Amino acid sequence: MERFRMVFQYFQSNTESVANGICAVLTLASVKMYTIFDFNCPCLPKYNVLYGMGVMFIPPVVLFFVGIIVNKHSVMMLEEWTRPTGKRKKNPAIIKFMFTNLIQRAMIAPVVWILVTLLDGKCFICAFSVSVDPNRFNGLPNMTGWDITRVLAKVPCKEDIIFQNNTSRKAVSRYLRCWSQALGWSILLFLIMLGVVARCLKPCFNHTAFLQTRYWSNYTDIEQKLFDETCSTHAREFARKCVIQFFESMHEEMCQGMILPLDDEDDHLHGITSRKQVNELLQAWYRCKPDLDVTKIAQRQYSRARVRVTWEGDQNEGRQAFKQNGHSPHTDV
């Protein structure tokens, strides 16, 4: 249970972890769906290819678009691409980085589905049974043209009466399954080699640019989260004060004991105290994102710290002066 909680917390830690979790779930779901899928080839010359190729490629397309929809990077990328420029210029490198991550994660589940279907071989046998050369196999009926095509279309159907007490169907199935598995392992090997080459060549490129792009991509995500959290805090504080104002306007006998007390907490409204100001704030946030410069806040905090240090120093000097004169700072003269 503790391990499950740690894994769950990891997937909730940031957007990238959530995207990895969604990718893993979709991949496992694709494998599970294929294992429970009831594959029934129609065994008809005109429909075998459509059915086999449809089962092999239509679910991956669906999984690809589902992977794009559930990935938060798609929304972030579109928002960054379509937002007005304002005081912050758009960075094409960030959009490209988000798009690359989005496509990479969305492609994993479809590729796993295609690899599983090829290694299993049923779809390949159904789709290409009519494409084999009948002269390669002994035991097939001595037919030509459309008749032999109809016979080959029955290869995926082992219960068909044509292939009773006939080993040619198994030979054709093994032949096509070998080709299917060879193609599947070849694709898997190619993807592994591509990953190895990409990992080896990665240090050869400008790693600083990659780190900067990744940093600002994460910054965009964190900035939006903090903005949403600040909006929630502001809305809660705004609603609390509206309720207090409503109760205070009621007659004293009707609301006695129900008025919410005012406290000395930090003001989370930041001077935004009306609906018009809230709407203007939200419009300004969308139309003109703030500049990436927090120098003013840092200088204000530094000035406050200096004033506090100066005040404490003056207090200490005063106490020392009282002590040198033989008086206590708390002694009345």
Side-chain angles (χ1 to χ4, degrees):
M1 188 64 182
E2 189 65 25
R3 292 182 179 179
F4 176 77
R5 186 179 303 172
M6 292 175 61
V7 173
F8 185 72
Q9 290 176 354
Y10 166 75
F11 284 137
Q12 281 189 326
S13 59
N14 52 53
T15 302
E16 188 173 356
S17 300
V18 173
N20 292 335
I22 293 174
C23 178
V25 170
L26 286 177
T27 303
L28 295 176
S30 65
V31 177
K32 185 64 176 178
M33 283 190 298
Y34 183 80
T35 55
I36 64 176
F37 177 71
D38 189 12
F39 185 85
N40 291 312
C41 186
C43 298
L44 295 174
K46 292 183 179 181
Y47 299 100
N48 279 17
V49 176
L50 293 177
Y51 184 81
M53 293 292 99
V55 172
M56 187 179 295
F57 292 109
I58 291 179
V61 174
V62 175
L63 291 172
F64 176 75
F65 285 109
V66 170
I68 291 179
I69 292 172
V70 300
N71 196 331
K72 190 178 178 180
H73 275 104
S74 60
V75 179
M76 292 172 53
M77 181 186 67
L78 291 176
E79 289 179 351
E80 183 67 19
W81 185 26
T82 57
R83 70 171 177 84
T85 303
K87 295 181 180 179
R88 184 187 306 176
K89 295 181 179 179
K90 297 181 182 180
N91 190 349
I94 297 177
I95 300 176
K96 182 180 178 181
F97 180 79
M98 292 181 179
F99 179 77
T100 303
N101 286 343
L102 175 66
I103 296 300
Q104 287 177 352
R105 291 187 172 93
M107 285 293 295
I108 293 178
V111 169
V112 169
W113 176 279
I114 294 175
L115 289 176
V116 171
T117 56
L118 288 175
L119 295 177
D120 184 61
K122 293 180 182 177
C123 296
F124 197 87
I125 293 173
C126 179
F128 296 102
S129 61
V130 297
S131 302
V132 299
D133 185 5
N135 298 323
R136 291 175 175 267
F137 307 96
N138 297 324
L140 290 174
N142 190 12
M143 301 176 182
T144 57
W146 180 250
D147 294 332
I148 192 62
T149 302
R150 293 178 58 186
V151 171
L152 292 174
K154 302 288 185 180
V155 168
C157 303
K158 52 184 168 182
E159 297 86 3
D160 197 275
I161 193 173
I162 297 178
F163 294 105
Q164 287 185 355
N165 301 323
N166 193 333
T167 60
S168 58
R169 189 199 70 82
K170 294 183 179 180
V172 176
S173 297
R174 285 195 300 267
Y175 174 77
L176 292 174
R177 183 172 282 108
C178 289
W179 275 105
S180 178
Q181 292 179 349
L183 182 60
W185 285 114
S186 299
I187 294 175
L188 182 60
L189 178 62
F190 172 76
L191 293 176
I192 293 175
M193 294 300 297
L194 186 64
V196 171
V197 172
R199 181 58 63 92
C200 293
L201 294 180
K202 185 178 179 180
C204 300
F205 296 95
N206 190 355
H207 195 62
T208 303
F210 172 76
L211 291 177
Q212 292 174 350
T213 304
R214 184 174 181 179
Y215 173 86
W216 290 118
S217 176
N218 293 333
Y219 170 85
T220 304
D221 178 32
I222 296 172
E223 180 189 53
Q224 187 61 42
K225 286 183 179 179
L226 291 177
F227 179 74
D228 294 339
E229 292 174 1
T230 306
C231 286
S232 299
T233 304
H234 184 278
R236 189 180 297 108
E237 186 71 11
F238 189 78
R240 188 181 71 85
K241 293 193 175 184
C242 286
V243 172
I244 292 174
Q245 182 174 300
F246 171 76
F247 275 92
E248 288 178 347
S249 65
M250 302 293 289
H251 194 270
E252 184 176 359
E253 291 84 10
M254 298 177 61
C255 62
Q256 186 175 3
M258 298 174 60
I259 300 179
L260 301 176
L262 293 173
D263 48 26
D264 296 330
E265 295 179 353
D266 293 336
D267 187 12
H268 299 288
L269 295 181
H270 305 289
I272 310 300
T273 57
S274 68
R275 180 178 179 179
K276 181 180 179 182
Q277 290 176 331
V278 173
N279 293 335
E280 290 178 354
L281 172 71
L282 297 177
Q283 291 177 1
W285 176 265
Y286 173 73
R287 291 179 179 177
C288 186
K289 290 287 184 72
D291 195 11
L292 300 176
D293 188 359
V294 294
T295 305
K296 293 181 180 179
I297 296 178
Q299 290 178 350
R300 186 164 63 247
Q301 293 176 348
Y302 178 71
S303 299
R304 290 177 180 175
R306 289 190 59 184
V307 171
R308 188 181 301 110
V309 171
T310 303
W311 182 80
E312 291 177 354
D314 293 340
Q315 293 291 325
N316 293 332
E317 291 178 358
R319 292 192 186 96
Q320 292 177 1
F322 274 108
K323 290 180 181 179
Q324 291 176 358
N325 295 329
H327 299 284
S328 173
H330 302 286
T331 304
D332 294 331
V333 179

